[in-house]
Amino acid sequence: RRARLLVRIRSESEPQPSPHMPILLIVLSILLPPVAVAIKFGLKKEFVINLILTLLFFLPGVIHALYLILKK
């Protein structure tokens, strides 16, 4: 019984993801596409592709970031 109570307390105190995070990522995708992609995926191939697209032409970088953020 005590172990169940401790597990319940720990699970309730764990930080939950913010419900506003998707909105923040969408806004960042429009304003600073590589930053939004880096927050969601880290500094991996998605970030590098988005950085190149954004540096060459801004609009493809925005479209790519929105695509990555909004796909499930």
Side-chain angles (χ1 to χ4, degrees):
R1 178 171 165 89
R2 187 173 185 191
R4 273 195 246 159
L5 180 60
L6 287 175
V7 169
R8 186 179 307 155
I9 291 171
R10 285 184 186 155
S11 65
E12 290 174 358
S13 66
E14 289 177 4
Q16 299 296 321
S18 171
H20 304 293
M21 189 60 153
I23 295 170
L24 175 66
L25 286 175
I26 291 170
V27 171
L28 274 175
S29 293
I30 296 168
L31 299 176
L32 298 167
V35 174
V37 173
I39 289 172
K40 177 100 180 196
F41 296 99
L43 300 176
K44 297 181 180 173
K45 68 178 181 176
E46 292 89 353
F47 171 77
V48 173
I49 293 169
N50 189 268
L51 183 63
I52 292 169
L53 286 171
T54 303
L55 290 175
L56 291 176
F57 307 101
F58 187 74
L59 188 59
V62 171
I63 293 169
H64 180 252
L66 285 172
Y67 170 74
L68 290 175
I69 299 300
L70 295 176
K71 79 175 185 178
K72 303 247 171 174

